[in-house]
Each structure stands twice: as C-alpha cells, then as structure tokens.
Amino acid sequence: MNATESTRALEVARADPQLVVLEGFHAVKHALRFGAALTHVFAVEPAAARSLAVDLAPDLVDAFTERAVAAPQIALLGVHTGVVGIARRPAVDLAGVLATPTNAPVVLLEHPRRLGNVGAAVRVAAAAGAAGLMTTGTADPWDPTALRGSAGLHYALPVGRVDGLETRRPVIGLTPDGDRLVPSELPAGAVLAFGSERSGLSAELLARCDARLALPMRPGVSSLNLATAVAAVLFAWRLRGTN
Ligand SMILES: C[S@@+](CC[C@H](N)C(=O)[O-])C[C@H]1O[C@@H](n2cnc3c(N)ncnc32)[C@H](O)[C@@H]1O
C-alpha cells in the first residue's frame, strides 16, 4: 500500500461511523488483545513497531510483524509511537448487559460532557473488570477523543450509548451528598451511576436509585473529577478481595 492509499484509508475510516482510528501503539495493542477486527495497522517504521511489541507486548509480536505496513507519512499525525490502526466498531448488546445479572458492576455516565473523561472512565472500567460502560446524552462514547483516552480499551468491554435504564440490577447513584460508601456493602452487579461534570446526577435518575452513596472527602472539597470518582468507586469494589 502506498502513501496515498494509506492516507486515503485513514480519511475514509475517520468519516465512517462503523470504523475507528486507533492512535498509538498502546491503542492498537489493546484492540488486538481484546479481539478487535483490525483492517489496517500502519507504522512509520514497521521494524520499530515490532521492537515495541517485543518490549511491551510479547504476546503480539507476530500480530505486529504480520500486520504493520509502512506508512512514513503518519509521522505527521504526531502520534509519538508512530503506530496507527483502523478497526471495525463492534456491535454491543447493552440491553443484554443490563438484563443479565453478573457479579461485576456496570458503569453508567449520565450525560457526560467531556469526552476525555469518558475515555478515562472506559480505561478504568476495563482495568477493574466492569461488565460494561454506558452513557446517556448526545455524546458518542466512541468519539475519537474518548478512544484516545481509553488507549484502545473500548474493545475490552461493551461500551455504548443508552436511552433508558431497563434493568433488574440494583442502581446505585454516586453523588457527593450521598451516604458514605462502604465498599463491603456495595451490592453485586450494581449499575453505578455517575452524574454530569457540572450538574451531577439528574433528579430523575436520583429518584430511580436504590441508594445514593458518596466517597467521603476532606471538608472544603466539593467533588472529584468524574473519571476519578469512577476509578475510586470501581476499585473500592475490586479491592474488597472477592474480585
Ligand atoms: C464533577 S462531579 C459533579 C459535581 C456536581 N456539582 C455534583 O454535585 O454532583 C461528577 C460526578 O462525579 C461523581 N462524584 C464526584 N465526587 C464524588 C464523591 N465525593 N462521591 C460520590 N460521587 C462523586 C458524581 O457521580 C458526580 O455527579
């Protein structure tokens, strides 16, 4: 594939809602590891991409060796590892995740505004072993900015947008003015609902919650950043010792 063709493939992928562009070695690495259907892997220098795999992802050396195609012009994208991939966006069954009880919690972000927060939340949800991450509102959780923030970990769990909350799972609202969160009392398989950056959880969603819990903070601090709150709550759950 020549430079014009690879540049064109990236342009087409950016315009196609069924495709995503993965920027950076780690994003491509995670996508490969978690079963993404990659259509292209471009590298400024394929040998350098292979070396990164030898050092950082020995399980994927063959995958990078077989797939990485030279595309020196992607250096212009400013991706410091010199690796960019194109993958298909997976079909996810969010209704199924909400309907099927599991021990692992589901993260719900109500109307998030900052896509960087969505990406960071996906990354920590993948790391903690959440059953899925869902958003409400207009933002696409697969937006390129969110994908950059998750380092490709959108492929590690079901991620998508929902319009409603049809579920038999317990719904726990996280809000700074809630009752103190006690990790051992978090119910199994809960939907952990987090509010919007500025306004927090809506009155409607708070009314739907089975409990409203807070991460206790030092007096004078009004709230944590959204993705930080997601991380703290998920690892409070994970560190209980049974996960
Ligand atoms: C930046 S905060 C929103 C602040 C908003 N003014 C409020 O009162 O909820 C974004 C979200 O992070 C979560 N959050 C932040 N700090 C929290 C805390 N101390 N306890 C529980 N949730 C918290 C909540 O879900 C909150 O809606």
Side-chain angles (χ1 to χ4, degrees):
M1 183 176 271
N2 63 34
T4 310
E5 287 167 340
S6 48
T7 299
R8 179 76 190 128
L10 286 164
E11 282 170 6
V12 168
R14 287 191 203 284
D16 184 341
Q18 301 308 317
L19 295 174
V20 297
V21 175
L22 298 159
E23 296 180 357
F25 174 82
H26 296 287
V28 174
K29 171 193 78 178
H30 282 137
L32 281 168
R33 197 172 275 155
F34 289 102
L38 274 104
T39 60
H40 300 83
V41 177
F42 297 122
V44 173
E45 287 181 42
R50 185 180 187 283
S51 296
L52 281 174
V54 168
D55 290 343
L56 304 173
D59 54 319
L60 297 172
V61 172
D62 288 348
F64 275 97
T65 306
E66 285 158 18
R67 290 162 179 264
V69 170
Q73 81 284 5
I74 66 168
L76 297 173
L77 299 175
V79 177
H80 80 276
T81 52
V83 178
V84 172
I86 300 175
R88 293 192 197 290
R89 185 169 163 161
V92 288
D93 177 14
L94 301 176
V97 172
L98 286 172
T100 313
T102 54
N103 178 42
V106 171
V107 174
L108 176 72
L109 305 181
E110 188 183 30
H111 220 310
R113 310 285 167 155
R114 301 223 173 95
L115 289 157
N117 276 336
V118 175
V122 169
R123 187 172 184 165
V124 75
L133 183 143
M134 301 167 198
T135 61
T136 65
T138 49
D140 178 6
W142 284 78
D143 179 277
T145 304
L147 270 164
R148 241 171 262 134
S150 81
L153 285 163
H154 277 66
Y155 287 93
L157 74 173
V159 174
R161 221 180 56 75
V162 290
D163 288 321
L165 191 52
E166 281 291 315
T167 188
R168 283 184 291 127
R169 291 172 179 263
V171 181
I172 305 295
L174 280 304
T175 176
D177 58 4
D179 299 326
R180 185 188 180 95
L181 184 156
V182 178
S184 59
E185 294 175 6
L186 278 174
V191 174
L192 301 171
F194 296 84
S196 186
E197 287 86 343
R198 201 173 307 157
S199 48
L201 284 168
S202 66
E204 187 189 3
L205 188 39
L206 281 168
R208 168 80 173 75
C209 291
D210 299 298
R212 289 169 279 283
L213 301 180
L215 293 156
M217 296 179 292
R218 176 182 174 179
V221 178
S222 43
S223 69
L224 296 168
N225 159 274
L226 170 59
T228 305
V230 174
V233 173
L234 283 178
F235 276 87
W237 167 74
R238 188 165 175 91
L239 286 167
R240 295 185 311 184
T242 52
N243 307 295

